[in-house]
Amino acid sequence: MASYYLILLVLLVASAVVEANANKLSPDFYSSKCPKLFPIVKKGVKKAIRNETRIGASLLRLHFHDCFVNGCDASILLDDTSSFIGEKTAAPNNNSVRGFEVIDKIKSKVEKACPGVVSCADILALAARDSVVYLGGPAWEVGLGRRDSTTASRSAANTSIPAPSLNLSALISNFANHGLSVKDLVALSGSHTIGLARCTSFRPHIYNDSNIDASFAKSLQSKCPRSGNDNVLAPLDLQTPTHFDNLYFKNLLNSKGLLHSDQELFNGSSTDSLVKKYATDNAAFFKDFAKGMVKMSNIKPLTGSKGQIRINCRKVN
Ligand code: HEM
Ligand SMILES: *[C@@H]1O[C@H](CO)[C@@H](O)[C@H](O)[C@H]1NC(C)=O
Ligand SMILES: *[C@@H]1O[C@H](CO)[C@@H](O)[C@H](O)[C@H]1NC(C)=O
Ligand SMILES: *[C@@H]1O[C@H](CO)[C@@H](O)[C@H](O)[C@H]1NC(C)=O
Ligand SMILES: *[C@@H]1O[C@H](CO)[C@@H](O)[C@H](O)[C@H]1NC(C)=O
Ligand SMILES: *[C@@H]1O[C@H](CO)[C@@H](O)[C@H](O)[C@H]1NC(C)=O
Ligand SMILES: *[C@@H]1O[C@H](CO)[C@@H](O)[C@H](O)[C@H]1NC(C)=O
């Protein structure tokens, strides 16, 4: 009788372990089901960046905006239709997020190699990592096994993605809502070492804030007037916008952050010391950035039999 209960207990524990593993992402999730996945994504990212350097930044941001809205489930990739409103036209995304064609191209190559196997959410997570690496940043291991959502939420996108108007305490609580720490906030904001922002995003900072270098503000004002030219672009890192490095943090020390939210990280408060550390210690920045990316990439994935593997990333099967 005792051995009967023992066997039952072992079975229960074993099934709990299987269950837990099914919900956990794993780097070798596709190693037998789609062995060519890594080289296909890497090649697709490289080709896209060689065509247009900015696209690496855009792919990184696309993954961020996917993960911050109900988890990393490729919900951001769904197109609006006459009967469905998705995230692409939400306030933080409309006329701003880009890179969808690159994901489409990679997905169609992946579908040819291993049909119906790899999720769009996983392709996006890999493309973000490969972009950072190609532009000179750190590498990290991407856990895989995410599945794709069958829905998207414009209202969640409106409210969950942090706005550049936020102050430090609001940024900290936004990240905390996603299970990310203050250190993750500062390290991941280092993404702004690459890419561009629109006049409409940095206008309030260059006209209304006092914590900005005067000549830097003046030169930005000359291309971004008080009204109009909303879509004129400026680099988030004025020094090396196509290279992934720690100059973003050095800019903050000199009051040359482009967005209000950037300069909030270095304005006499609790995060000043981390900004100083990353500005002087590139290795520390790379290490914490990679850790933060792994955490962000793990936000609420759909696993097991939840969601689906979309065939076309833009629409539900
Ligand atoms: C801390 C809060 C954050 C705020 C308030 C913020 C805000 C913004 C804004 C307003 C833009 C410019 C968009 C435009 O004008 O079209 C931008 C660009 C960008 N953001 Fe963030 N962001 C934040 C964190 C992050 C994180 C965590 C990542 C990545 C992990 C990221 C990656 C990027 C990249 C790479 C770009 C440039 C995209 C491109 O050139 O296409 N940002 N961000
Ligand atoms: C190359 O980049 C341009 C934008 O600079 C884009 O319009 C075009 O679709 C890209 N072409 C390829 C093949 O990626
Ligand atoms: C998105 O941008 C387009 C083009 O500027 C605009 O016509 C449309 O109204 C915007 N959509 C939303 C939901 O704001
Ligand atoms: C989201 O923001 C857009 C653009 O500001 C607005 O048009 C729309 O009504 C908002 N939608 C929801 C569901 O919150
Ligand atoms: C930050 O912004 C929030 C929300 O707008 C506001 O309630 C709070 O008082 C602000 N905090 C500081 C320190 O300015
Ligand atoms: C600056 O602040 C004032 C007062 O809050 C506001 O009316 C104005 O729209 C802001 N200007 C910009 C460019 O954000
Ligand atoms: C930055 O800090 C200064 C000094 O504490 C303060 O006066 C200012 O309002 C802050 N600026 C912003 C944009 O938070």
Side-chain angles (χ1 to χ4, degrees):
M1 209 54 193
S3 66
Y4 169 79
Y5 282 113
L6 188 66
I7 289 168
L8 199 65
L9 184 72
V10 167
L11 284 176
L12 278 174
V13 170
S15 73
V17 168
V18 168
E19 182 107 318
N21 281 340
N23 288 319
K24 214 171 165 251
L25 303 179
S26 151
D28 39 58
F29 188 81
Y30 298 110
S31 55
S32 60
K33 285 175 281 192
C34 195
K36 294 223 175 86
L37 174 62
F38 291 175
I40 293 172
V41 176
K42 193 171 168 186
K43 211 172 141 194
V45 165
K46 181 170 157 185
K47 199 175 161 199
I49 298 179
R50 282 198 173 163
N51 171 60
E52 188 209 8
T53 328
R54 182 189 176 193
I55 204 76
S58 307
L59 290 168
L60 174 60
R61 182 163 184 249
L62 205 49
H63 179 47
F64 160 50
H65 283 204
D66 180 27
C67 295
F68 265 49
V69 184
N70 295 321
C72 314
D73 59 0
S75 53
I76 196 172
L77 303 181
L78 291 173
D79 279 341
D80 285 7
T81 68
S82 54
S83 58
F84 170 83
I85 292 179
E87 294 166 21
K88 283 183 180 176
T89 50
N93 293 335
N94 199 27
N95 303 313
S96 184
V97 284
R98 52 208 299 285
F100 300 108
E101 294 79 12
V102 178
I103 299 301
D104 289 340
K105 272 186 202 141
I106 295 173
K107 172 68 171 175
S108 71
K109 295 225 163 73
V110 171
E111 281 299 305
K112 267 190 203 123
C114 11
V117 168
V118 182
S119 68
C120 299
D122 279 342
I123 290 176
L124 193 48
L126 288 169
R129 190 266 317 267
D130 291 350
S131 294
V132 168
V133 171
Y134 190 79
L135 295 173
W140 60 92
E141 205 170 48
V142 179
L144 299 166
R146 296 170 192 77
R147 291 166 65 84
D148 300 322
S149 72
T150 52
T151 181
S153 171
R154 189 201 261 180
S155 61
N158 278 353
T159 55
S160 308
I161 298 169
S165 56
L166 297 188
N167 61 31
L168 181 61
S169 57
L171 289 167
I172 290 173
S173 59
N174 175 283
F175 271 59
N177 290 342
H178 299 285
L180 299 172
S181 67
V182 173
K183 192 191 249 188
D184 296 325
L185 163 68
V186 178
L188 291 176
S189 294
S191 293
H192 292 173
T193 175
I194 52 174
L196 309 174
R198 292 166 303 155
C199 167
T200 188
S201 301
F202 60 80
R203 181 182 282 129
H205 183 52
I206 65 173
Y207 286 103
N208 271 357
D209 288 346
S210 55
N211 60 350
I212 181 170
D213 175 86
S215 63
F216 179 58
K218 207 169 166 207
S219 77
L220 289 166
Q221 286 165 2
S222 72
K223 51 181 184 173
C224 176
R226 278 183 189 276
S227 72
N229 282 4
D230 281 4
N231 294 322
V232 163
L233 298 167
L236 284 154
D237 166 4
L238 79 154
Q239 304 191 67
T240 54
T242 60
H243 193 76
F244 198 101
D245 52 32
N246 66 340
L247 294 180
Y248 164 82
F249 296 104
K250 294 193 182 177
N251 297 334
L252 297 185
L253 299 185
N254 296 316
S255 302
K256 288 178 178 173
L258 184 64
L259 305 175
H260 170 82
S261 51
D262 291 324
Q263 201 58 56
E264 278 292 298
L265 303 177
F266 187 81
N267 193 45
S269 294
S270 61
T271 50
D272 283 18
S273 55
L274 263 177
V275 170
K276 268 189 208 149
K277 178 173 164 193
Y278 295 150
T280 51
D281 187 347
N282 191 60
F285 165 47
F286 275 18
K287 188 162 161 268
D288 290 349
F289 181 81
K291 271 195 191 165
M293 284 303 297
V294 170
K295 276 173 81 175
M296 189 185 90
S297 288
N298 281 349
I299 296 175
K300 290 206 297 194
L302 296 172
T303 55
S305 56
K306 291 182 203 128
Q308 61 178 214
I309 304 297
R310 267 183 233 147
I311 303 303
N312 175 344
C313 294
R314 292 173 182 268
K315 54 181 201 190
V316 172
N317 294 342

